[in-house]
Amino acid sequence: MHKTDFGLIGLGVMGKSISLNVADNDFSISVYNRTEADEAHIVSEFIQQHSTYENLAGYTDITEFVRSIKRPRKILLMIKAGKAIDAVVAQLLPFLEDDDIIIDGGNSLYKDTIRRTESLASKNIHFVGCGISGGEEGARKGPSIMPGGSLEAYTHISPILEKIAAKDKNNKPCCVHVGTDGAGHFVKMVHNGIEYAEMQLLAEIYSILKKTHTNEEIASILSDWNTRSEASYLLEITIAILRKKEGHEYIIDRILDKALSKGTGSWSSKAALDIGMPSTMISSAVFARYVSAFKEQRVTLSKSFKKSNVSEGIEYSYLEKAYRFARIINHQQGFELIQEASKQYNWTLNLSEIARIWTNGCIIRSQFMDDSIEILQNHSNYFEDKKTFEALRNSEKYIVKVLQYRLNNRISLDTFSAAYNYWISMTTANSSANIIQAQRDYFGAHTYQRNDIDNSNFFHTNW
């Protein structure tokens, strides 16, 4: 029996796209999908639709599927995160042998990946938590891939993953061994958190401009930005969204303003809280989505306010510079979260390489991400880079103007506000935290440090 190079479980949109990507790159692949409920036809239909692929084999029997793959077996799971992963792993285990590799390509919580890695290692099975970004198109044509796990496992799967990955400007694969156990899924989680904030920033720009501009005018303004340093995939698709019509009407005007989420943004916020990092922009973006869900209540409460005349529109250059300011802060917070996690989990993550594999294939690819490769190669964060810090310092006045415009016109700008507050806090020598610590000592005898004595000592006052 001819053995295939690779196996994939889960023929959803992403699974199908990756399967064809693997096959197009001259690897043979076995695919499997469960046959419960209304899924009995999925494998046969997929194989029939792509009958010209001689290197594509479909299975509905898990035993035959596993046996069809060369050892060490490399099996990619493209299924829903959570209990389903554990269930499929348990289903596979009786048929696996030493050094076989299970790759979880979904958006699993990194702590679950750490647990699964440890559990399967005791059975001599490799587990790779692998972040994959790029959506359906990326999966088909080349995604950004973030595998975590043992280096031994990566040496076996890298020829395939690096071949199907997107390529950077130097034609290097946007795939790298990120780190051990949960590192890949952690990095993908933060990618999604940065994505949340990037999306929210563009939504807030739209909320400012729609007061005084048509959809086409907003798209033209953003198109101008997209020709310069702000160029990004998210900016590009936002322009396309604003211009898309259904008959004579713009589709965006018919989309209900309730934003859903799948949880990776909130996971980033929770991780930041657990690790002790101020990822305020990601959290603000998550909460903005939550607030949007209260549509009926928002409509009711809005009736208590008269519509006021909108002040004269804001200068486009101010808004563009404020956008640049906020994007730098967003990346600063995201990469700082990754760096701190790397220290706490002993992952030794390479921030510059992470930026590099995010320059193509993924949702947050942009010109600024390209610039970040060198910045993070030479510095541990963006603030240490003199050029970037000066850009922030010089553009502070523009984000102030945007926030003043927001106050005058009752526009909610969650992520712009979070960016500015973080910047002010981080560049202020003396904060008000001494009051907080005094309060803690007053009611709980938690002690405090003094600024006039060696601060390695702690004191308590009988208030």
Side-chain angles (χ1 to χ4, degrees):
M1 177 183 177
H2 174 71
K3 302 278 187 177
T4 58
D5 302 311
F6 200 64
L8 183 142
I9 295 178
L11 289 175
V13 171
M14 290 286 286
K16 289 177 181 177
S17 296
I18 288 179
S19 297
L20 295 176
N21 189 350
V22 171
D24 281 339
N25 279 284
D26 300 325
F27 296 102
S28 54
I29 180 170
S30 300
V31 297
Y32 169 88
N33 199 85
R34 65 181 184 176
T35 54
E36 285 87 346
D38 59 345
E39 297 185 48
H41 63 287
I42 287 178
V43 173
S44 58
E45 280 189 3
F46 180 65
I47 297 298
Q48 187 176 2
Q49 287 168 0
H50 304 284
S51 57
T52 56
Y53 284 80
E54 295 181 359
N55 55 348
L56 181 63
Y59 296 88
T60 54
D61 181 280
I62 196 75
T63 310
E64 292 179 6
F65 165 73
V66 175
R67 286 176 179 169
S68 74
I69 307 165
K70 293 175 187 174
R71 293 197 59 206
R73 300 179 182 93
K74 298 166 278 290
I75 300 174
L76 174 62
L77 310 185
M78 293 302 296
I79 60 177
K80 188 177 180 181
K83 293 180 180 178
I85 300 292
D86 291 317
V88 171
V89 168
Q91 189 181 10
L92 284 171
L93 271 177
F95 311 108
L96 298 181
E97 299 173 77
D98 285 359
D99 296 322
D100 283 350
I101 304 161
I102 298 174
I103 310 160
D104 176 7
N107 282 327
S108 289
L109 182 62
Y110 72 100
K111 289 184 178 179
D112 289 339
T113 303
I114 293 172
R115 169 178 58 80
R116 291 168 183 142
T117 301
E118 292 173 350
S119 173
L120 287 169
S122 67
K123 299 175 175 62
N124 296 321
I125 303 295
H126 295 286
F127 189 80
V128 174
C130 185
I132 301 175
S133 177
E136 180 182 0
E137 183 181 2
R140 184 68 182 87
K141 298 178 182 178
S144 173
I145 306 178
M146 299 149 256
S150 70
L151 191 56
E152 181 186 350
Y154 186 71
T155 59
H156 289 292
I157 62 178
S158 60
I160 297 175
L161 296 189
E162 291 181 7
K163 190 77 173 177
I164 68 170
K167 303 301 181 288
D168 67 13
K169 62 185 179 183
N170 297 315
N171 204 37
K172 290 177 62 179
C174 291
C175 172
V176 71
H177 179 240
V178 175
T180 56
D181 51 63
H185 275 147
F186 189 93
V187 168
K188 175 56 163 58
M189 176 191 73
V190 177
H191 166 287
N192 287 18
I194 294 171
E195 177 186 304
Y196 267 57
E198 293 287 290
M199 292 169 71
Q200 182 62 29
L201 283 171
L202 287 166
E204 290 173 14
I205 288 168
Y206 167 72
S207 70
I208 292 170
L209 293 175
K210 73 176 182 178
K211 298 278 186 181
T212 52
H213 295 74
T214 66
N215 292 324
E216 186 59 44
E217 287 170 341
I218 299 171
S220 294
I221 293 166
L222 299 185
S223 293
D224 183 44
W225 296 4
N226 205 42
T227 63
R228 296 195 291 276
S229 58
E230 296 315 317
S232 73
Y233 171 74
L234 283 171
L235 186 56
E236 182 183 313
I237 69 167
T238 303
I239 294 163
I241 288 166
L242 288 166
R243 286 180 167 154
K244 185 69 173 176
K245 287 185 177 181
E246 191 174 67
H248 297 295
E249 293 188 82
Y250 288 95
I251 291 179
I252 191 63
D253 294 335
R254 291 291 168 261
I255 296 178
L256 187 67
D257 57 327
K258 289 173 71 171
L260 305 179
S261 61
K262 290 189 175 180
T264 48
S266 62
W267 287 355
S268 295
S269 294
K270 289 174 186 174
L273 290 169
D274 290 341
I275 292 170
M277 296 301 292
S279 300
T280 56
M281 288 187 67
I282 294 173
S283 296
S284 293
V286 170
F287 287 131
R289 290 199 191 187
Y290 291 171
V291 170
S292 77
F294 292 88
K295 174 65 175 179
E296 294 76 15
Q297 189 176 355
R298 289 190 289 114
V299 170
T300 300
L301 293 173
S302 70
K303 293 174 183 177
S304 300
F305 297 85
K306 291 182 180 180
K307 285 188 176 181
S308 56
N309 293 325
V310 179
S311 61
E312 190 176 334
I314 192 164
E315 174 68 42
Y316 305 150
S317 63
Y318 295 172
L319 190 54
E320 182 182 4
K321 287 169 183 173
Y323 176 50
R324 174 71 167 182
F325 177 101
R327 291 192 66 223
I328 295 173
I329 297 296
N330 183 30
H331 286 66
Q332 164 75 8
Q333 292 186 349
F335 278 100
E336 283 270 270
L337 177 55
I338 291 172
Q339 187 174 56
E340 186 59 30
S342 180
K343 293 174 185 174
Q344 294 195 19
Y345 289 100
N346 297 314
W347 283 333
T348 60
L349 303 182
N350 186 323
L351 300 187
S352 180
E353 270 294 274
I354 291 169
R356 186 190 65 77
I357 66 172
W358 285 352
T359 59
N360 199 12
C362 72
I363 304 301
I364 60 173
R365 60 186 186 265
S366 68
Q367 179 57 53
F368 182 59
M369 194 65 76
D370 252 311
D371 299 340
S372 297
I373 299 171
E374 185 176 352
I375 293 171
L376 296 172
Q377 196 170 41
N378 298 320
H379 306 283
S380 63
N381 64 65
Y382 293 91
F383 289 170
E384 289 181 1
D385 179 58
K386 288 183 179 179
K387 184 179 177 182
T388 305
F389 187 82
E390 280 303 300
L392 286 167
R393 198 169 67 85
N394 293 333
S395 58
E396 180 180 325
K397 56 182 173 289
Y398 299 110
I399 195 168
V400 169
K401 288 180 182 295
V402 169
L403 294 175
Q404 287 171 339
Y405 182 84
R406 158 261 177 108
L407 292 171
N408 293 336
N409 292 282
R410 294 195 79 247
I411 302 171
S412 177
L413 299 183
D414 299 82
T415 46
F416 274 103
S417 300
Y420 180 67
N421 288 339
Y422 174 81
W423 166 254
I424 294 300
S425 296
M426 288 297 291
T427 55
T428 299
N430 296 313
S431 73
S432 57
N434 52 335
I435 285 288
I436 302 296
Q437 201 57 24
Q439 292 167 337
R440 294 182 75 245
D441 188 58
Y442 191 107
F443 64 70
H446 293 294
T447 73
Y448 55 86
Q449 296 159 286
R450 295 179 64 103
N451 58 23
D452 58 348
I453 300 174
D454 180 1
N455 61 22
S456 62
N457 297 316
F458 287 80
F459 301 85
H460 168 65
T461 292
N462 184 5
W463 300 95

